[in-house]
Amino acid sequence: MTILLTGGAGFIGSNLTKQLLQEGKQVVCLDSLDSYYNPDIKWANVQQSLDHPHYHFHEGDIRDAELVNTLFRTYAFDAVIHLAARAGVRPSVQDPALYYDVNVTGTLTLLQAMQHAGVKKMVFASSSSVYGDSLQVPFTESDPSDRPLSPYAASKRAAELLCHTFHHLYGFDIFCLRFFTVYGPNQRPEMAISQFTDSILNEKPINVFGDGTTARDYTYVEDIVNGIIQSLENLRGFEVLNIGGSDPISLANLIQVIERVVGKSALINRLPMQPGDVQQTYADIRKATQLIGYQPTVRVEDGIKRFVAWYLVKYKTGLVI
């Protein structure tokens, strides 16, 4: 099987690439190595797979229709795993046009290239942020998702709708996976667990937005990778699936877990809640369990231990950028 993996140099994509290659898949990675965070981190991820005979890397933008169509003419893709996106809820408030362009126009460019090439299978990475600040927990796929709180969330919901349109018009098989706060090795440096771990280790203050009662359904990247692969193996029709840990933890308790694992206390700088943030996320995963056999296996406490162990190795060897 030959797969076009967009955003394959990033956090989730690099972990997914390793697993796909281990399973004998051919992976063609398209990634712009954008500057949202240090591109050297993403390039280091790419280099881990460059020598593999079934891995091909192309630097470029999913909005570049000529490039995307050339890839479809060059390779006989069986499916697309579309992870590429402009990431970050809070930064999207400052530059909504960029988020719309990358996340919506980029997705449309891919879907049109698939149509022209006769490729009809896609796994699309969506986000739990599409639920907005829902008071009904856990979040189920049938809940209304028409009140997003950030341009990032709105762009992900719009891309989901585009995916359904191409399913309806052209018979595409597409699963839209709503990821819930992913963490683990290769995690982006601006994400909470990365920042908190680094700051606590180095005895620097951490910024805590709100009173610590906000809660997130953290999902270990290994479970996310398994959910993507299980979706790929069961692609049929159009579905929206929650892929989460289904075990939310408050911000205050998360910090306590990191403190215990690191062995140091956090210095906390309390700040007001930021625009676009939601109070809680919590995945109802019954549909994903039923349709694809998804079941998270790594609890937050164990996942934090694994992440900190990885981080310490990278930190000591000078590879944390």
Side-chain angles (χ1 to χ4, degrees), residues 147-161:
R147 296 290 187 271
L149 300 188
S150 67
Y152 170 78
S155 71
K156 282 295 187 180
R157 181 61 180 134
E160 286 184 355
L161 297 175

Side-chain angles (χ1 to χ4, degrees), residues 7-294:
F11 163 38
I12 297 173
S14 58
N15 282 278
L16 176 61
T17 294
K18 294 177 187 177
Q19 186 61 38
L20 291 172
L21 292 174
Q22 286 177 11
E23 295 183 2
K25 309 280 195 307
Q26 181 169 220
V27 178
V28 179
C29 173
L30 174 62
D31 199 298
S32 67
L33 305 178
D34 70 29
S35 59
Y36 177 68
Y37 63 94
N38 192 335
D40 291 345
I41 297 176
K42 287 173 269 193
W43 180 239
N45 292 338
V46 170
Q47 289 179 308
Q48 294 173 17
S49 300
L50 270 181
D51 291 336
H52 197 289
H54 292 160
Y55 180 78
H56 310 272
F57 176 72
H58 296 268
E59 183 176 353
D61 196 305
I62 56 172
R63 295 168 291 178
D64 184 342
E66 182 177 353
L67 169 62
V68 171
N69 283 304
T70 297
L71 290 178
F72 276 88
R73 289 192 297 268
T74 303
Y75 300 95
F77 294 125
D78 297 291
V80 176
I81 300 177
H82 178 26
L83 305 183
R86 188 70 179 186
V89 169
R90 293 167 185 165
S92 75
V93 176
Q94 306 303 320
D95 196 353
L98 175 62
Y99 279 75
Y100 184 93
D101 193 27
V102 174
N103 298 352
V104 183
T105 304
T107 300
L108 178 59
T109 300
L110 281 169
L111 290 167
Q112 289 180 309
M114 290 172 64
Q115 176 199 349
H116 295 149
V119 178
K120 294 190 172 184
K121 291 186 177 295
M122 173 187 275
V123 177
F124 169 65
S126 187
S127 167
S128 62
S129 65
V130 302
Y131 289 108
D133 209 3
S134 176
L135 299 178
Q136 180 175 325
V137 293
F139 300 168
T140 63
E141 293 88 349
S142 59
D143 290 345
S145 51
D146 56 355
R147 296 290 187 271
L149 300 188
S150 67
Y152 170 78
S155 71
K156 282 295 187 180
R157 181 61 180 134
E160 286 184 355
L161 297 175
L162 273 176
C163 288
H164 181 268
T165 300
F166 275 71
H167 159 72
H168 171 73
L169 291 176
Y170 307 111
F172 283 16
D173 296 315
I174 302 181
F175 282 7
C176 298
L177 308 184
R178 293 175 176 172
F179 296 154
F180 282 69
T181 317
V182 191
Y183 72 103
N186 295 353
Q187 183 172 337
R188 302 198 315 261
E190 93 288 353
M191 298 181 75
I193 290 176
S194 291
Q195 285 194 355
F196 292 169
T197 299
D198 180 79
S199 295
I200 293 171
L201 277 169
N202 292 287
E203 300 178 356
K204 298 183 295 186
I206 62 175
N207 292 329
V208 174
F209 298 97
D211 61 3
T213 61
T214 56
R216 294 291 180 269
D217 192 348
Y218 285 94
T219 315
Y220 195 67
V221 68
E222 179 183 298
D223 289 326
I224 292 289
V225 166
N226 288 337
I228 294 170
I229 291 174
Q230 289 167 323
S231 296
L232 187 66
E233 293 171 346
N234 292 277
L235 266 180
R236 184 177 299 170
F238 176 86
E239 299 289 350
V240 175
L241 300 176
N242 289 337
I243 304 294
S246 201
D247 185 23
I249 184 173
S250 72
L251 180 57
N253 287 341
L254 175 71
I255 293 170
Q256 290 175 1
V257 171
I258 299 173
E259 287 176 323
R260 287 197 299 271
V261 174
V262 170
K264 290 185 177 183
S265 296
L267 304 173
I268 294 176
N269 178 33
R270 294 206 176 273
L271 297 168
M273 285 279 286
Q274 289 199 312
D277 280 357
V278 300
Q279 182 64 30
Q280 63 179 335
T281 62
Y282 184 179
D284 183 331
I285 59 170
R286 289 176 295 178
K287 183 179 178 183
T289 299
Q290 179 181 3
L291 286 184
I292 65 172
Y294 171 75

